[in-house]
Amino acid sequence: MCRVVDLRQAVLAKNDGAAQALRDELTARGTTVVNLLSSPGSGKTALLERELLLARERSVAVAALTADLATENDAVRLARSGVPVKQVLTDGLCHLEAGMLGRHLDGWLPEDTRLLFVENVGNLVCPAGYDLGESLRVVLASVTEGEDKPLKYPTAFGLAQLVVVTKTDIAQAVEFDEAAFRANVERVNPGVEIVMTSARKGEGLGLLLDRSLAAGAGTGTHTPVMARRQQATGHDHAPVHGHDHGHDHGHLHGHGHGADHESDHHHHHGPGHAHDHTPAPGADDGHDHGHDHGHDHDRDHEHPQVQPAAQTR
């Protein structure tokens, strides 16, 4: 048992180093990474598509990378916004890691990118323990998932710097108790902002974009209590980078070990595949050829470029 714990800590420590290096590199070039975590079916792709369209309308240089175990459905949808999009297929790996992300960005991410949205694998367990070099960590939950979601996944919600509720247009139909949900979030992450959104009706549209730009500017980013507590006790394996709202204004890089981290050490999966959906006519070089994520995996496989559906603004 001790060996398993030691191995997990070593893997997470290695990831932390890669994440900080990636953060430093991207910050130096003016790129802010936003890590989006949620369960499958939360509606994060629909919301992100609307936010990407809005970013284009505001002339914000933005890109998106989306990770799934299989299919390129999300990348094709996001590419309709007209922004650079890459699909990463993890072949069973339940989360992204910093080294994997860095390799997929190398040679693909446009130099002038101001915001990079990373749509993590749909999973609130494994991704919670891995820093991707982000400046803003966002957890999304739909009104259909139940008000107790924050209590079931305390690490994911406890380390969030922003919580987004989706599909509010059907909240009444599913009898969503907003007050109970807010109370449960407050229990695991006091003071974190909760944003109510509906991609279908446009409620809260632009708030995710605004908060992401603010994080890039180094202003107004929440620092969770869990992160401060873990830093104080020496447990530093889940990322929080930013400033608390009127409390602690030091940057924290703590990493969580909540009750839902038991799957964080699964690393023996097949290679990841990357498909570039960057909307550049005739482009055919958006595929990665490096190692998947540094845990004894095979090399990435080259794939022909998959053209997205007709792109609209």
Side-chain angles (χ1 to χ4, degrees):
M1 181 63 181
C2 290
R3 183 175 180 181
V4 172
V5 172
D6 290 343
L7 176 61
R8 180 186 303 146
Q9 291 177 343
V11 168
L12 291 171
K14 180 179 179 180
N15 181 81
D16 291 346
Q20 188 57 51
L22 182 60
R23 181 180 296 105
D24 292 343
E25 176 186 347
L26 293 176
T27 298
R29 57 188 269 184
T31 300
T32 298
V33 177
V34 180
N35 186 7
L36 305 175
L37 292 79
S38 78
S39 299
S42 67
K44 68 178 178 294
T45 304
L47 179 63
L48 182 55
E49 184 178 359
R50 295 290 303 273
E51 296 286 340
L52 294 177
L53 283 167
L54 184 59
R56 283 199 62 190
E57 292 174 5
R58 294 184 181 179
S59 299
V60 177
V62 64
L65 181 145
T66 182
D68 279 302
L69 275 66
T71 83
E72 297 177 49
N73 297 345
D74 289 349
V76 170
R77 289 175 58 189
L78 295 178
R80 296 184 305 201
S81 66
V83 310
V85 174
K86 173 174 276 194
Q87 175 77 59
V88 173
L89 300 182
T90 66
D91 282 351
L93 187 66
C94 59
H95 60 275
L96 286 173
E97 296 181 8
M100 182 195 306
L101 177 61
R103 282 184 287 275
H104 285 305
L105 296 182
D106 187 26
W108 168 74
L109 187 68
E111 286 293 331
D112 65 344
T113 303
R114 187 174 176 187
L115 289 178
L116 171 65
F117 288 99
V118 177
E119 187 178 15
N120 218 316
V121 179
N123 181 349
L124 285 177
V125 180
C126 303
Y130 287 85
D131 185 352
L132 297 184
E134 69 260 28
S135 296
L136 182 66
R137 173 175 285 211
V138 183
V139 172
L140 301 91
S142 72
V143 298
T144 62
E145 295 178 58
E147 296 80 2
D148 61 346
K149 201 80 170 184
L151 304 182
K152 289 183 175 180
Y153 300 93
T155 299
F157 282 88
L159 289 168
Q161 294 166 289
L162 178 68
V163 175
V164 175
V165 178
T166 61
K167 305 183 182 181
T168 57
D169 54 294
I170 60 172
Q172 185 174 359
V174 299
E175 299 182 344
F176 176 69
D177 188 337
E178 181 180 340
F181 179 84
R182 287 181 176 275
N184 289 334
V185 171
E186 184 70 12
R187 286 179 62 183
V188 299
N189 194 346
V192 68
E193 182 181 12
I194 301 173
V195 173
M196 311 298 289
T197 67
S198 167
R200 178 177 296 177
K201 299 293 185 180
E203 179 184 359
L205 184 62
L207 291 176
L208 176 58
L209 179 59
D210 291 343
R211 301 304 185 268
S212 300
L213 290 171
T219 60
T221 308
H222 172 69
T223 301
V225 171
M226 181 181 291
R228 297 199 296 268
R229 183 182 305 124
Q230 290 169 347
Q231 185 189 49
T233 57
H235 297 286
D236 55 351
H237 296 301
V240 174
H241 309 277
H243 303 282
D244 199 359
H245 296 290
H247 302 290
D248 181 2
H249 292 276
H251 286 281
L252 298 180
H253 305 279
H255 301 272
H257 297 286
D260 57 341
H261 72 290
E262 62 272 14
S263 300
D264 287 353
H265 62 284
H266 298 291
H267 303 288
H268 301 288
H269 299 272
H273 314 300
H275 293 214
D276 185 4
H277 293 260
T278 303
D284 61 356
D285 60 348
H287 310 291
D288 287 2
H289 306 282
H291 291 286
D292 182 54
H293 69 52
H295 293 297
D296 298 325
H297 294 286
D298 297 327
R299 296 179 67 84
D300 290 353
H301 292 259
E302 180 177 354
H303 293 268
Q305 182 169 345
V306 178
Q307 294 296 333
Q311 297 166 1
T312 59
R313 285 188 61 87

